[in-house]
Structure formats: C-alpha cells, structure tokens
Amino acid sequence: MTISDKGRLDAQYGLLTNIAQELGLSLSTVSKVVHRRRDVGASTRTRVEELLDRHGYVRPWDREAAAPRQIVAVFRDLSGPYTLEVVRGIVEAAGELGIDVVTGTTGRRSISQWLEECVALGAAGLVIVISMLAEEDQRRIVEQRLPVVLVDPLSAPSSDIPSIGVTNWSGAREAVQHLIGLGHTRIGMVAGRSHSLAGSARLHGYRAALEEAGIGYDPALVRSTDFDYDEALTATLHILRTERPPTAVFAASDAQALGVLEAARQHGLRVPDDLAVMSFDDTLVAAMACPPLSAVRQPFEELGREATRVLLQTAEGRPPASPRIELATELVLRTSTAAPRSP
C-alpha cells in the first residue's frame, strides 16, 4: 500500500466515524450502509446515504468503475510518417492498460476546443503532438490543472506542463559525425523551421559536429523547411545548384529525406555514389526508400508509452519529477550513406 493509498483510507475512515457520531449510530451500522448490506432499516439507510452524498463520499469500487478509460491524442495532421508512428506508439501503450484513445487534429479544432472536448468526454487527459500552444491555453491548463502532456512541442511550454521528446541535438551531431567519419567535408542540411524546438536542436547538432571537426559552416548548404517532402525537394535542388555543391546531405526528418532523394534523382545524382543522404526519425518509410535510408532512430513505441504513462500519472495528481523528458536516439546505418568518390 502506498502512502497516498493509506492517507485516502484514513480520511475515509475518519469521515465514516464523523457520520456515525453525528447520527448517533455505530460505525458498524454506517459501514453496512456503505457496503449496501440489507440488515439496516430504510430510514437509517436514507439518513446515512444523505450524509455520504453531502460529504461527497465515493465508494472505492464506484471510484474504480468511474475512472476514465480513455485519453485524447491531438496532432497537427495525420499525414506524415512521423505522426503515424507516434499514433501507433500511443495507441499500443494505452491498449496494454485497457485505455481507449480518441485521436484528432488541430486542422478544424483548435487546442482550446480540444481541451473542452477532453473535459466533455470525461477523458483522463490530453496528449498534444507537435503543436504550438498559445499562452492562453497554457494558462488554462495550469490554472485548471488539466492533465496534458506535450510530445515534441514547437515552442518551449510552461514548466508546469510536462513535455516529452528525444535527444535531438546529440542525435543530429552523431549523424553528421558519421558523415564526417566517411570523409565528407561538404555536408548540406535540409533543416526544420527555427521556431521548432526539435528542428532548432537538430540544426545546432549539425553545426556542433562541423565545428568540432574544424569544418566551416556554409549557410549556402543549409535550407530550412517544414518537415515536408515537397518543400525539402525544392530546398535540396537549390542546395545542389550552389557553386560548390555538397557530397552529403543531412535531412531533419524522413519526409524531408525522401525529398532529398528525389532532388538527387532529378539532378542526375546517384545515392550514395554521388550524394550520401542521412535522415532523422527512422519511420517505416526509411527502410522502404530507394536506397534504404541511414537514419537517427526515434524510439516511437517508447515515446508513446512514456507519454501515456506521464499523462495518467499527471491525471492522478502525481506530476513527473522533471517537466522535460528526453529519450535516447540511435544511429541506424543502411545503404544511403558511403564515402565520397575521389575527385
């Protein structure tokens, strides 16, 4: 039995004792009413039930039955490979606990509306994935103590709202270090937007690896886009048309890496012979790409499990020890990266 469980039982025992004293009854009689025993007179039962209701007493088995058996998970969209992996992670983790997941997007409903929906559904709480949280929404979450967990938020949230992500900086640094180790010195990057915490951290990891290797940063080799295929395709074509094009490109997501592969094809370059390509995410599409992508793997299943665990813990009034949780990434090498060809 935990300390909180013991405290709850002590409080319940104290309440039943007070009710017994107020009505001039024995504690055993009040206990019989609580446990719905039949050997109590109708008028006595009514008087006890009225006081139980007035004090907000909930029988332990009623509390368990009334406990929320669903959570809400909200995404910016459900179109990209990253989103689908996170959805799968959350759904599988919640399923192991017998909890249903209601999913939705912010395309037609704002975060504020989803907060209302979460309350209306009586859900345990809300997981928000890759979204910008307005100050008003943050204030409401904190003031009303709404159970909310953020996964890869676009902006730094209040320290009162737990968030979960991965080691973006060190993962990106390791990826670029691998390319440098192969012999590449002209390394481009299709980065995420600067307002994105994950995108910014991956760009800084890229720059850190270059600096540690004594390689100068060339802004002509870097383009920032959404984590999007079409934008990455256009951005990579610009990078490949520079006076001194790169021999390797690091993409901040799998969707962007697919755009890099297509840009290389359109430019008449073979991967990895003419251009090495490194990605970040390692969703299912990474291994299916042609050639299969070397990538920084995010632990999607663990992300979903941790988001679900922290949300349920928060719903029980037990905030995590740290407001920010970062899970380790892993470098997965496939055939999209190789040493540069000799001049």
Side-chain angles (χ1 to χ4, degrees), residues 66-70 117-125:
R69 304 311 301 169
Q70 63 182 1
E117 181 71 10
C118 186
V119 173
L121 288 171

Side-chain angles (χ1 to χ4, degrees), residues 20-141:
Q21 291 174 350
E22 184 175 342
L23 296 177
L25 301 171
S26 67
L27 180 58
S28 64
T29 299
V30 174
S31 179
K32 288 179 181 179
V33 175
V34 168
H35 290 84
R36 297 192 172 100
R37 292 271 297 275
R38 297 181 180 181
D39 52 341
V40 179
S43 61
T44 300
R45 181 184 302 278
T46 300
R47 290 161 60 206
V48 173
E49 291 282 8
E50 285 177 354
L51 277 185
L52 289 173
D53 291 341
R54 187 185 308 168
H55 289 286
Y57 180 85
V58 181
R59 293 168 173 86
W61 51 90
D62 289 341
R63 182 185 295 109
E64 183 177 346
R69 304 311 301 169
Q70 63 182 1
I71 61 175
V72 180
V74 177
F75 303 79
R76 185 175 57 178
D77 59 61
L78 291 171
S79 59
Y82 168 89
T83 303
L84 297 178
E85 290 283 3
V86 176
V87 168
R88 186 162 62 91
I90 293 174
V91 169
E92 289 183 357
E96 292 175 2
L97 299 172
I99 294 173
D100 296 325
V101 181
V102 176
T103 59
T105 70
T106 56
R108 295 189 179 182
R109 281 187 187 174
S110 65
I111 295 295
S112 179
Q113 290 173 315
W114 276 113
L115 289 171
E116 296 283 357
E117 181 71 10
C118 186
V119 173
L121 288 171
L126 181 67
V127 178
I128 303 174
V129 183
I130 311 187
S131 291
M132 185 76 74
L133 207 58
E135 287 187 17
E136 182 180 345
D137 292 331
Q138 292 196 52
R139 188 164 52 250
R140 181 186 175 192
I141 291 169

Side-chain angles (χ1 to χ4, degrees), residues 133-169:
L133 207 58
E135 287 187 17
E136 182 180 345
D137 292 331
Q138 292 196 52
R139 188 164 52 250
R140 181 186 175 192
I141 291 169
V142 173
E143 290 177 353
Q144 298 183 15
R145 297 184 179 180
L146 299 175
V148 170
V149 172
L150 308 178
V151 175
D152 272 343
L154 292 179
S155 58
S158 162
S159 60
D160 296 305
I161 305 174
S163 64
I164 299 173
V166 299
T167 50
N168 291 294
W169 182 87

